[in-house]
Amino acid sequence: MKPKHKRAFSTRAERSGKAASHGADAERAEHVRTRVRLMIEITARAGSYRKGLVKAAERLSPEEAMILADLEAHGLQVPQFRDVLRGGHVLVDDPQLYEKWRHSKGSHPRLSSHHRDIDKKLYPDIGMHGQVVREKLHGRTAQGTWVQLEKTPAAFGGPKLPRPSDLRHLMDYVVYKLTDSNVGPWGLSRMTERRPLYLAPVLAVPTSLSPPIARSLTQALRRIEANDDVTAASQELAARFPPPDRPDLAGELGQALSARAGRGLFGNSDVWVTQTPSRTAAAVLRESRAAPAADGWATGGSS
């Protein structure tokens, strides 16, 4: 039989470990919330939204932040983020997101008409209310997960009686039929289920080139590289410093960048940075231009 003091020590250690783990989880959740709030503030600078987006971002819940951060982790860029906030229909090639979001706090089964080819008894559509997402709705596809933000929730077909929000949802449906645009919490989006926004689509299939095509492609790449060498510097210098000889130029086209390749989070967004000029930095730059010559060096003329 173990001594009581050892069991007490073990219990205190376990409680301390759980508290440390909980603190680390809370710190990570707050980091995600801060990042998503900054994304919302940035995208709110360009484009039109319904009023109140930035105010709602201040009350962003950890569950909302997790969903939006998961989309960003799957390649969502700031220009696409606008469509998400406006109710764009998003397809993600990751079925694990369905289960992850299904079990998040505040999630509940929902009825919807999206993706009717999926067994709704096995994979029911899931809703969740939030300050920014208003009403998040997501479900399964054959290969992944879909998600869409709605302006107003609906409870049609359930045991509850119709509510005022159901009537507003019907009005949103009328707007959808008239404009062919989804009605999201912060605007309208043309990204509907028939024209969805794809994230991380599995489209790249590795394949080998036949020898004649590989030779022709290599010759074309060498011509392009030679022209680049001539235009990047004088023809004499280009001849003196040839580029490294790489035997397989065509093979380099199939090499993918590590981690998240592509244009990055901001992509081709209309985002700009504004900041107040630093008077200290300006003073230092002015002094460096008028700095006296060092000893032993002439500033001009002949010595």
Side-chain angles (χ1 to χ4, degrees), residues 89 109-116 120 123-126 137-139 146 148 150 154 156 169 193:
H89 194 84
R110 264 282 310 273
L111 295 176
S112 79
S113 59
H114 297 292
H115 298 274
R116 298 179 181 179
K120 299 297 182 176
Y123 300 111
D125 296 334
I126 305 297
L137 183 62
H138 88 274
W146 66 268
Q148 180 177 316
E150 297 181 335
F156 298 120
H169 190 87
E193 185 176 342

Side-chain angles (χ1 to χ4, degrees), residues 137-182:
L137 183 62
H138 88 274
R140 269 295 306 267
T141 67
Q143 304 295 332
T145 305
W146 66 268
V147 63
Q148 180 177 316
L149 307 186
E150 297 181 335
K151 181 182 177 184
T152 51
F156 298 120
K160 299 180 180 180
L161 295 174
R163 299 172 299 180
S165 62
D166 295 328
L167 299 178
R168 292 194 295 269
H169 190 87
L170 277 178
M171 295 174 61
D172 293 343
Y173 179 74
V174 173
V175 174
Y176 161 75
K177 297 299 289 185
L178 293 176
T179 63
D180 198 22
S181 301
N182 284 345

Side-chain angles (χ1 to χ4, degrees), residues 40 50 53 64 67-68 71 76 81-90 101 110 114 128-138 146-153 169 172 182-189 191:
I40 294 174
R50 291 191 178 95
L53 175 58
E64 294 176 272
I67 292 171
L68 298 175
L71 294 180
L76 180 73
F81 194 29
R82 300 174 196 163
D83 272 296
V84 173
L85 294 174
R86 292 169 179 166
H89 194 84
V90 184
W101 296 344
R110 264 282 310 273
H114 297 292
M128 186 189 75
H129 181 70
Q131 294 293 333
V132 172
V133 302
R134 292 293 177 90
E135 180 69 11
K136 180 275 304 172
L137 183 62
H138 88 274
W146 66 268
V147 63
Q148 180 177 316
L149 307 186
E150 297 181 335
K151 181 182 177 184
T152 51
H169 190 87
D172 293 343
N182 284 345
V183 181
W186 307 105
L188 303 179
S189 173
M191 298 292 182

Side-chain angles (χ1 to χ4, degrees), residues 175-297:
V175 174
Y176 161 75
K177 297 299 289 185
L178 293 176
T179 63
D180 198 22
S181 301
N182 284 345
V183 181
W186 307 105
L188 303 179
S189 173
R190 303 283 291 182
M191 298 292 182
T192 63
E193 185 176 342
R194 289 178 294 176
R195 298 182 298 274
L197 170 65
Y198 288 94
L199 293 181
V202 183
L203 300 177
V205 179
T207 182
S208 58
L209 299 175
S210 62
I213 295 179
R215 285 195 297 270
S216 176
L217 180 59
T218 300
Q219 292 172 0
L221 292 174
R222 292 195 182 282
R223 286 197 302 270
I224 293 173
E225 190 174 66
N227 292 335
D228 288 342
D229 290 337
V230 173
T231 57
S234 67
Q235 189 170 4
E236 182 180 355
L237 285 176
R240 291 177 178 272
F241 301 96
D245 186 17
R246 299 187 299 277
D248 186 15
L249 290 177
E252 295 183 3
L253 294 179
Q255 294 179 1
L257 297 177
S258 60
R260 286 181 51 195
R263 294 175 296 170
L265 172 62
F266 296 100
N268 59 346
S269 63
D270 300 327
V271 175
W272 60 93
V273 176
T274 58
Q275 64 182 34
T276 304
S278 171
R279 297 180 180 178
T280 303
V284 171
L285 290 175
R286 284 194 298 268
E287 290 177 1
S288 62
R289 291 173 186 166
D295 294 339
W297 292 89

